[in-house]
Amino acid sequence: MKIVDHNGNRIHASAVGTPYEGASTGRRLSTWGLSGAGPNMAVSGSLASLRARSRELTRNNPNAEAGVESYVSNLIGTGIIPRWRLEDQNLKTEVQQLWADWTEEADANGALDFYGLQALASRALIDSGEVLARFRPRYPGDLLSVPLQIQLLESDHLDETYESIAPNGNPIRMGIEFDKNIGKRTAYWVFRDHPGE
C-alpha cells in the first residue's frame, strides 16, 4: 500500500508508525510504563496512598476543594427527592409526611439529614473513590418514624489488604467477598473502628 501526504508525496511507512500515537514506541513514550493489570490489581497495595493523597489535595488546595464542592452541588443539588405516584391522595400525603419525618432521622450518627448524607456520600466518592453505606435497623422502642437509619463509613473501614477464602468457599478480594458461583458481592469485611483513629 502506498502512503502519501496531502500533496501526494510518498511517505515512508516507518514514518507513519501505529494508527494511535499513544501506542507508538518512539523516544517520547519509551519510558511510559505499560500495564495490562485489571482495576483491582492496579490499585492493590497502593490504595491507601492514593486515598491519602486525594484527601490531602482537597483539604489543602482551594482549587481542588472548589472543584469538589461544585461537582457535589451539581450532582446532588438540594437532594434527590422521590415523587410518589399514588392515586389515593390520603395515602400519598401520609407517605410524603413519613418520608419527610424519616429524612430528618436518617443519619445513624445524628449529624445530617438524608440530603446531607447524599452530599457526604458524593464527596467521599470523589475524595476516596468509594463509600460504604450501612443500613441500621432500629428497635420500635427507639421511637423513630421509620425503624431504619443509614450509617456512612469511610472506605478506610474496608480492609483492602485482606485476601482469603471465606468458610463458605467464597473468595475474598481486597476485603470484598464474592459469591463463588456467580461473582456477585455478598459481604464486606470491615474494621469495627476506623483504622486511622
Side-chain angles (χ1 to χ4, degrees):
M1 181 172 105
K2 183 178 174 183
I3 303 172
V4 296
D5 66 11
H6 64 281
N7 292 323
N9 299 320
R10 186 174 175 157
I11 300 173
H12 193 272
S14 64
V16 175
T18 62
Y20 291 101
E21 185 178 352
S24 66
T25 56
R27 178 186 54 83
R28 292 183 303 128
L29 299 175
S30 64
T31 60
W32 191 344
L34 301 173
S35 172
N40 292 331
M41 185 56 72
V43 297
S44 180
S46 61
L47 190 55
S49 297
L50 289 169
R51 281 186 188 138
R53 287 179 181 156
S54 176
R55 290 176 183 154
E56 191 278 333
L57 183 65
T58 55
R59 287 178 185 147
N60 296 306
N61 184 315
N63 292 326
E65 172 69 17
V68 170
E69 290 297 325
S70 176
Y71 184 82
V72 169
S73 180
N74 283 303
L75 180 65
I76 299 299
T78 57
I80 300 169
I81 303 169
R83 298 284 180 237
W84 315 106
R85 292 184 178 177
L86 299 171
E87 298 296 325
D88 184 339
Q89 283 301 323
N90 291 333
L91 178 60
K92 184 175 183 178
T93 302
E94 187 178 329
V95 168
Q96 284 176 327
Q97 186 59 53
L98 188 60
W99 174 262
D101 293 343
W102 179 79
T103 59
E104 295 297 320
E105 306 166 341
D107 185 9
N109 295 322
L112 302 170
D113 64 6
F114 179 68
Y115 305 109
L117 288 174
Q118 289 177 18
L120 184 61
S122 299
R123 182 179 181 87
L125 286 174
I126 300 166
D127 281 348
S128 306
E130 62 187 340
V131 65
L132 302 173
R134 181 180 180 196
F135 293 111
R136 305 292 306 266
R138 300 302 191 199
Y139 296 107
D142 292 335
L143 303 177
L144 298 171
S145 56
V146 175
L148 175 71
Q149 291 184 308
I150 299 171
Q151 179 184 17
L152 292 183
L153 299 172
E154 284 188 311
S155 53
D156 303 83
H157 282 269
L158 189 61
D159 185 1
E160 78 269 0
T161 64
Y162 186 51
E163 306 272 338
S164 186
I165 301 293
N168 60 8
N170 288 341
I172 302 168
R173 292 190 304 271
M174 297 179 70
I176 303 171
E177 182 178 332
F178 296 89
D179 182 277
K180 64 184 172 191
N181 298 316
I182 60 174
K184 179 182 176 184
R185 292 174 186 229
T186 59
Y188 294 88
W189 292 71
V190 297
F191 295 113
R192 182 175 298 279
D193 298 311
H194 192 292
E197 293 293 334

